[in-house]
């Protein structure tokens, strides 16, 4: 999936964390994002993974599973 920089900016405008930013700042942030594609059923991250990125869903759906333990 090829995502154009303008598409990333439009997506960021819809995210409350970024929605208040102006065009210059949005362009800057959009340049820092990397796109990844995940397949149906693929695990994206697990609870103990380092918190070194954030995910914004551009297209599709995600399901979160929380293990309640024993």
């Amino acid at each position: 999936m090829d995502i154009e920089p303008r598409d990333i900016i439009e997506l960021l405008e819809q995210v409350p964390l970024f929605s208040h930013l102006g065009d210059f700042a949005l362009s800057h942030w959009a340049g820092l994002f990397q796109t990844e594609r995940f397949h149906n059923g693929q695990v994206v991250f697990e609870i103990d993974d380092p918190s070194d990125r954030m995910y914004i869903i551009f297209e599709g759906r995600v399901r979160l599973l929380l293990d309640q333990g024993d």
Side-chain angles (χ1 to χ4, degrees):
M1 168 189 340
D2 291 328
I3 300 175
E4 297 294 323
R6 183 71 218 156
D7 295 330
I8 296 174
I9 292 171
E10 289 175 4
L11 177 65
L12 293 178
E13 289 173 331
Q14 297 175 40
V15 177
L17 181 64
F18 299 101
S19 64
H20 69 285
L21 300 177
D23 290 340
F24 180 80
L26 284 171
S27 294
H28 171 76
W29 280 103
L32 299 175
F33 277 77
Q34 297 178 359
T35 58
E36 296 183 55
R37 181 178 203 137
F38 298 97
H39 299 285
N40 188 26
Q42 183 177 353
V43 174
V44 176
F45 65 90
E46 296 187 9
I47 198 162
D48 291 328
D49 288 350
S51 301
D52 60 354
R53 66 192 69 195
M54 68 181 283
Y55 293 93
I56 300 173
I57 301 167
F58 185 77
E59 182 178 298
R61 296 185 292 172
V62 65
R63 181 172 50 166
L64 300 175
L65 302 175
L66 182 60
D67 182 5
Q68 298 294 321
D70 295 318

